[in-house]
């Protein structure tokens, strides 16, 4: 459970340690009181932005930013307006830091970094040391999350210096915890422990139990990674004792997971199950998928180890429990994978924006330098003109020469500008092509990493169980396991087939042969192949195509299009449903419609279809699994025929896919 440990460590180190602690329910009274005071102030002085109002709004913003589910953004914006109008720079720095905290909690790292950078600028300009230290800390934490450890160290070290100079022990403690986390990320465990020890010394002076909890937890994690499980248990149990006093449910769950995992490493399985079961019970009322997933995974691993260690009838029971928890873990894994991927994409976008801004700043500096040089040049030119005015004939000659050279320079400059515009146009076209290629590459690797891995995981897990404990399974269990393996292999084959076809379309290596054939005959042949699949769901398939409709196309691609669309219709049509395949002659082209009365789609999912950059696949009415490539292949094949595909659908009313194919000839 190393991955689980690492995530939980970072959660404690960078979230609980630095950002505002979640306000207790008793804070509601203070918030209500402040709101009443604000309403009274607005009634008495409706047109004034007093400093009293600024103070109340800042306190409200501070309370709300730290409460999950509340934004406080309206209080922040109003308070910032008042602070700027009244030139209250200390308040402005405080509010900008609070605004950055709000964006951080909402995973908008780009806006968080901008807000804290603005706070740093104000603090430096007007010597607001306290808020300068806070801004440096927050920026360091954001850089750490973005993986830029060198910048993170730089900002956090500057913050440490400020808090030592101002003797702010509470902020210093939080900074030391963050620095310990950075050393942990670099696997420098000794330095990480040294910073934790320093923090414990400060904690004795400040009596800050939250920081002590975080430090104990962090030390437990460090000793765990060092392989000193006894020391790790000691600090995790100390952290747990303090958390029980605080009543922090999430913190209690994390401690129980950590301690349970350590007992598992010490092969004390009963103790491990005891702690993980407590964590499971506490997490039942939460919506934290990651914690629940880690608990299920941990219990599955422990029961599997216990099953391997037992030679009695208990081993079968342990394996059943292991399989049960593994299925629970697996059901949450897909959504966590998507959330994690989206979060990483957002972080990469923030890194890109930051580098882009740095480049813009550098270009602006260069531009200012060029302007200064131009001003110097102009002054020198004027001096020369004044000097040569004394000698009339010489001045006329100089002016003529200068004008001539200037005109030539303008012509040359125009030529250079035209060349630059041409180069920029080519660069934009290259960038567009690269984006399309990257989009294709991203979905290809995403499908391989995700969809290809899942069937293999299921097959490997089940075949390992069958290999080790085949004699302990009855016929029913064996049949279920073999059925799952068969379905995984079948889905894997379909996925590979679609991947290969799609890859060939992207590389331009797929064969394209035109021939004339009957639309009706081709559709009948493809429906015959899918008859058993439809029959299994009691679905009827009707054809409304004239027998004399002849089309010139690549018959293999045409068959692939029809099979994919009809397979899709079967997948999303319930038992007893109906599918209609109709064709009509539209003079210059044929229009073919595949319509079902299945579950349909909403507008959001309709917009995701046919897009290479978005891998979109959902389970069918009988939990059929797709690859997400079928419709993309259809569009690629139709595009090769200069045709088009569209879809209309509503939830509960089925879907109608319409394709149009021009009436080609073999020579065309």
């Amino acid at each position: 459970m190393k991955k689980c440990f690492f995530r939980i460590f970072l959660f404690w180190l960078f979230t609980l340690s630095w950002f505002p602690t979640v306000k207790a329910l008793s804070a509601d009274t203070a918030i209500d009181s402040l709101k009443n005071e604000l309403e009274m102030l607005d009634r008495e002085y409706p047109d004034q932005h007093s400093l009293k109002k600024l103070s109340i709004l800042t306190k409200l913003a501070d309370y709300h930013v730290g409460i999950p589910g509340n934004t406080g953004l309206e209080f922040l914006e109003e308070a910032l307006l008042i602070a700027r109008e009244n030139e209250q720079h200390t308040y402005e720095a405080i509010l900008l830091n609070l605004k950055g905290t709000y964006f951080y909690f909402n995973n908008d790292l780009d806006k968080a970094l901008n807000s804290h950078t603005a706070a740093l600028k104000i603090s430096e300009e007007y010597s607001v040391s306290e808020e300068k230290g806070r801004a440096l800390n927050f920026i360091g934490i954001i850089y750490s999350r973005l993986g830029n450890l060198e910048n993170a160290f730089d900002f956090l070290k500057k913050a440490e210096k400020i808090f030592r100079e101002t003797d702010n022990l509470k902020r210093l403690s939080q900074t030391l915890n963050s620095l310990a986390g950075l050393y942990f990320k670099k696997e420098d465990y000794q330095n990480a422990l040294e910073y934790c020890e320093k923090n414990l010394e400060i904690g004795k002076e400040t009596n800050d139990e939250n920081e002590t909890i975080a430090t104990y937890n962090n030390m437990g994690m460090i000793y765990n990674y060092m392989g000193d499980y006894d020391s790790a248990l000691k600090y995790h149990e100390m952290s747990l004792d303090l958390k029980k006093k605080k009543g922090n449910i999430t913190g209690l769950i994390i401690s129980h997971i950590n301690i349970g995992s350590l007992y598992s490493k010490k092969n004390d399985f009963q103790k491990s199950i005891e702690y993980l079961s407590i964590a499971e019970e506490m997490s039942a009322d939460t919506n934290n998928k990651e914690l629940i997933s880690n608990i299920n995974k941990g219990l599955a691993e422990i029961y599997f180890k216990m099953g391997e260690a037992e030679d009695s009838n208990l081993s079968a029971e342990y394996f059943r429990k292991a399989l049960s928890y593994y299925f629970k873990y697996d059901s949450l894994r897909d959504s966590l994978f998507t959330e994690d991927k989206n979060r990483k994409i957002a972080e990469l976008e923030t890194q890109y924006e930051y580098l882009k801004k740095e480049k813009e700043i550098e270009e602006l500096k260069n531009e200012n330098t060029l302007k200064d040089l131009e001003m110097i040049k102009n002054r020198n030119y004027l001096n020369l003109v004044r000097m040569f005015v004394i000698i009339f004939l010489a001045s006329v000659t100089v002016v003529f020469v200068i004008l001539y050279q200037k005109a030539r320079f303008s012509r040359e400059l125009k030529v250079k500008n035209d060349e630059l515009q041409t180069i920029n146009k080519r660069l934009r076209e290259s960038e567009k092509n690269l984006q399309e290629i990257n989009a294709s590459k991203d979905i290809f690797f995403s499908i391989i990493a995700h969809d290809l891995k899942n069937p293999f995981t299921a097959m490997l897990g089940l075949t390992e169980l069958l290999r080790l404990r085949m004699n302990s399974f009855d016929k029913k269990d064996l049949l279920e396991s073999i059925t799952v393996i068969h379905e995984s292999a079948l889905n894997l084959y379909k996925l590979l087939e679609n991947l290969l076809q799609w890859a060939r379309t992207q590389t331009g290596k797929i064969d394209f042969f035109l021939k004339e054939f009957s639309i009706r005959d081709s559709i009948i042949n493809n429906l015959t192949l899918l008859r058993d699949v439809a029959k299994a769901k009691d679905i009827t398939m009707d054809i409304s195509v004239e027998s004399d409709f002849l089309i010139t196309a690549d018959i293999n691609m045409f068959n692939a299009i029809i099979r994919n669309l009809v397979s899709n219709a079967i997948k999303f049509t319930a038992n007893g449903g109906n599918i209609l395949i109709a064709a009509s002659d539209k003079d210059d082209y044929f229009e073919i419609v595949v319509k079902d009365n299945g579950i349909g789609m909403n507008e959001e999912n309709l917009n995701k279809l046919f897009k290479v950059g978005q891998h979109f696949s959902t389970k069918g009415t009988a939990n059929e699994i797709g690859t997400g490539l079928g419709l993309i292949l259809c569009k690629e094949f139709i595009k090769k025929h200069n045709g088009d595909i569209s879809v209309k659908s509503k939830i509960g009313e089925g879907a109608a896919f319409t394709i149009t194919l021009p009436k080609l000839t073999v020579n065309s």
Side-chain angles (χ1 to χ4, degrees):
M1 297 178 68
K2 185 172 182 179
K3 186 176 181 182
C4 165
F5 271 131
F6 184 71
R7 286 179 176 168
I8 294 170
F9 179 86
L10 293 182
F11 170 83
W12 276 96
L13 201 59
F14 294 108
T15 303
L16 185 59
S17 295
W18 239 108
F19 293 102
T21 306
V22 175
K23 305 294 189 294
L25 291 176
S26 58
D28 290 344
T29 304
I31 292 172
D32 291 340
S33 176
L34 287 168
K35 286 183 177 179
N36 291 334
E37 191 174 355
L38 183 63
E39 290 175 0
M40 183 179 70
L41 199 63
D42 284 337
R43 284 196 302 270
E44 294 179 1
Y45 308 100
D47 299 322
Q48 294 185 19
H49 288 163
S50 67
L51 296 182
K52 177 68 174 175
K53 184 175 183 179
L54 176 59
S55 174
I56 295 171
L57 287 168
T58 303
K59 290 176 183 176
L60 282 169
D62 186 27
Y63 272 115
H64 282 78
V65 165
I67 300 175
N70 289 276
T71 63
L73 192 59
E74 60 182 289
F75 299 120
L76 279 168
E77 296 294 355
E78 187 176 358
L80 270 171
L81 180 65
I82 296 173
R84 286 165 177 162
E85 287 178 353
N86 292 274
E87 297 184 351
Q88 295 294 314
H89 305 300
T90 299
Y91 270 108
E92 185 178 0
I94 292 170
L95 291 162
L96 285 168
N97 274 327
L98 286 173
K99 192 174 182 180
T101 306
Y102 160 76
F103 286 124
Y104 184 93
F105 277 136
N106 286 276
N107 286 319
D108 195 337
L109 299 186
D110 186 40
K111 290 183 180 178
L113 188 59
N114 287 339
S115 296
H116 291 308
T117 302
L120 179 60
K121 183 179 178 182
I122 293 292
S123 301
E124 288 178 336
E125 186 176 353
Y126 297 100
S127 302
V128 188
S129 297
E130 180 69 20
E131 292 309 307
K132 179 181 177 181
R134 291 187 68 198
L136 288 166
N137 264 286
F138 286 123
I139 293 170
I141 290 168
I142 293 169
Y143 276 132
S144 173
R145 182 166 167 184
L146 293 173
N148 191 337
L149 300 188
E150 293 303 318
N151 275 355
F153 268 108
D154 183 45
F155 281 95
L156 287 171
K157 279 291 186 181
K158 290 177 182 177
E160 180 188 4
K161 182 181 178 182
I162 289 175
F163 292 137
R164 288 191 185 279
E165 290 173 352
T166 58
D167 200 28
N168 190 329
L169 295 181
K170 182 177 179 180
R171 298 295 185 195
L172 177 60
S173 173
Q174 295 164 343
T175 304
L176 293 177
N177 242 345
S178 296
L179 283 165
L182 289 177
Y183 279 115
F184 178 86
K185 271 191 170 184
K186 295 181 73 174
E187 298 183 357
D188 187 348
Y189 301 133
Q190 289 301 329
N191 270 321
L193 283 173
E194 286 179 16
Y195 271 86
C196 288
E197 293 290 351
K198 291 178 184 178
N199 210 25
L200 287 178
E201 291 298 320
I202 294 174
K204 292 177 182 177
E205 296 182 45
T206 60
N207 291 320
D208 189 337
E209 287 189 344
N210 286 330
E211 282 302 312
T212 304
I213 287 171
T215 305
Y216 282 156
N217 189 79
N218 296 343
M219 293 179 76
M221 302 307 302
I222 295 167
Y223 277 116
N224 172 44
Y225 271 72
M226 293 173 68
D228 187 349
Y229 301 139
D230 291 329
S231 296
L233 271 173
K234 169 188 168 184
Y235 284 104
H236 277 306
E237 287 171 349
M238 291 166 70
S239 176
L240 178 61
D241 290 338
L242 289 176
K243 288 175 189 174
K244 288 178 179 177
K245 296 179 184 178
K246 290 286 184 181
N248 185 312
I249 297 299
T250 302
L252 288 170
I253 294 171
I254 292 170
S255 284
H256 280 87
I257 293 173
N258 288 336
I259 294 172
S261 300
L262 284 167
Y263 274 118
S264 175
K265 291 182 178 181
K266 290 166 67 67
N267 292 324
D268 190 343
F269 298 136
Q270 293 302 328
K271 276 280 190 181
S272 179
I273 290 173
E274 177 184 342
Y275 276 92
L276 289 175
S277 296
I278 293 172
E280 182 183 28
E281 182 178 347
M282 286 190 292
S283 66
D285 295 328
T286 70
N287 194 30
N288 193 318
K289 295 179 182 178
E290 188 167 3
L291 287 180
I292 296 170
S293 175
N294 284 324
I295 293 167
N296 289 329
K297 184 181 178 185
L299 286 168
E301 290 175 350
I302 291 167
Y303 278 118
F304 188 82
K305 288 180 182 178
M306 292 174 71
E308 288 185 316
E310 287 285 343
D311 292 326
S312 64
N313 292 332
L314 284 174
S315 62
E317 181 61 23
Y318 290 147
F319 281 127
R320 287 192 187 93
K321 288 185 177 180
L323 194 60
S324 173
Y325 279 109
Y326 177 80
F327 283 147
K328 291 180 184 178
Y329 158 74
D330 191 61
S331 66
L332 289 171
R333 185 170 54 179
D334 281 349
S335 60
L336 287 172
F337 171 83
T338 302
E339 292 168 3
D340 191 54
K341 181 177 72 176
N342 291 337
R343 181 183 61 77
K344 288 180 179 177
I345 290 171
E347 291 178 357
L348 287 172
E349 288 175 347
T350 300
Q351 284 182 302
Y352 169 76
E353 290 298 326
Y354 168 72
L355 293 173
K356 182 180 176 183
K357 286 175 184 174
E358 281 194 331
K359 185 178 179 182
E360 289 173 352
I361 291 170
E362 187 64 30
E363 290 175 350
L364 187 60
K365 288 180 180 177
N366 293 335
E367 185 180 338
N368 290 335
T369 302
L370 289 173
K371 287 181 179 178
D372 292 340
L373 291 172
E374 187 67 26
M375 290 175 64
I376 293 170
K377 179 182 176 182
N378 290 336
R379 284 198 298 269
N380 291 336
Y381 172 74
L382 290 173
N383 290 332
L384 286 171
V385 171
R386 292 190 188 99
M387 183 181 68
F388 282 104
V389 165
I390 299 169
I391 306 171
F392 177 74
L393 292 175
S395 64
V396 171
T397 304
V398 169
V399 169
F400 175 79
V401 171
I402 291 173
L403 289 174
Y404 171 76
Q405 290 182 344
K406 187 175 181 181
R408 187 179 67 179
F409 177 76
S410 296
R411 289 194 298 271
E412 292 176 351
L413 186 61
K414 185 177 183 301
V415 172
K416 294 295 183 184
N417 283 335
D418 291 339
E419 291 176 357
L420 284 173
Q421 288 178 359
T422 302
I423 292 170
N424 285 334
K425 182 180 179 182
R426 291 174 181 172
L427 285 173
R428 284 193 294 270
E429 291 173 353
S430 297
E431 183 182 11
K432 183 179 178 182
N433 290 334
L434 283 173
Q435 287 174 347
E436 292 175 354
I437 292 169
N438 280 333
S440 299
K441 178 201 68 178
D442 289 343
I443 188 172
F444 190 79
F445 285 137
S446 173
I447 293 168
I448 290 176
H450 186 254
D451 292 353
L452 198 58
K453 183 179 178 182
N454 283 347
F456 272 124
T457 302
M459 289 171 65
L460 288 173
L462 287 170
T463 53
E464 180 68 7
L465 283 175
L466 288 172
R467 184 179 70 84
L468 294 175
R469 300 296 176 190
M470 184 172 180
N471 293 331
S472 64
F473 286 92
D474 56 27
K475 289 184 178 180
K476 182 180 178 182
D477 291 335
L478 283 173
L479 181 59
E480 288 179 355
S481 299
I482 291 169
T483 301
V484 171
I485 293 170
H486 175 72
E487 290 176 351
S488 296
L490 187 61
N491 289 328
L492 191 59
Y493 175 79
K494 290 179 180 178
L495 174 61
L496 287 172
E497 185 178 54
N498 279 340
L499 281 173
L500 288 172
Q501 280 190 310
W502 181 71
R504 290 171 67 195
T505 65
Q506 299 305 299
T507 57
K509 293 181 179 179
I510 193 166
D511 295 328
F512 185 72
F513 298 110
L514 294 177
K515 65 176 289 187
E516 188 180 74
F517 57 91
S518 166
I519 295 176
R520 180 180 175 84
D521 291 345
S522 177
I523 291 174
I524 290 173
N525 290 337
N526 283 289
L527 293 189
T528 302
L529 295 175
L530 299 171
R531 181 179 56 197
D532 292 338
V533 181
K535 186 177 180 182
K537 296 177 71 174
D538 197 25
I539 294 172
T540 58
M541 296 186 291
D542 298 324
I543 302 174
S544 178
V545 182
E546 297 295 332
S547 59
D548 60 347
F549 282 179
L550 298 177
I551 189 170
T552 300
D554 185 298
I555 191 167
N556 292 324
M557 290 187 184
F558 184 88
N559 288 337
I561 294 166
I562 297 300
R563 282 199 304 274
N564 268 299
L565 293 180
V566 176
S567 295
N568 226 37
I570 294 171
K571 177 181 174 183
F572 295 106
T573 300
N575 289 1
N578 175 260
I579 298 169
L580 173 65
I581 302 93
S584 56
D585 190 336
K586 300 293 184 180
D587 295 332
D588 295 328
Y589 61 89
F590 286 108
E591 181 179 274
I592 302 170
V593 179
V594 178
K595 183 178 181 181
D596 62 69
N597 60 354
I599 58 177
M601 287 175 282
N602 56 29
E603 191 69 25
E604 180 183 357
N605 287 339
L606 281 173
N607 292 331
K608 295 178 182 178
L609 299 179
F610 310 117
K611 293 183 180 179
V612 176
Q614 295 188 19
H615 175 217
F616 174 65
S617 177
T618 58
K619 292 184 177 181
T621 57
N623 292 320
E624 301 99 321
I625 299 173
T627 65
L629 275 178
L631 291 178
I632 295 174
L633 277 173
C634 286
K635 185 169 184 178
E636 291 287 344
F637 289 162
I638 293 168
K639 184 178 177 182
K640 282 187 176 290
H641 289 81
N642 294 324
D644 196 16
I645 182 168
S646 61
V647 59
K648 293 182 180 179
S649 180
K650 288 185 179 180
I651 294 293
E653 296 182 11
F657 286 82
T658 302
I659 62 175
T660 59
L661 295 172
K663 293 180 178 179
L664 303 173
T665 64
V666 174
N667 292 330
S668 67

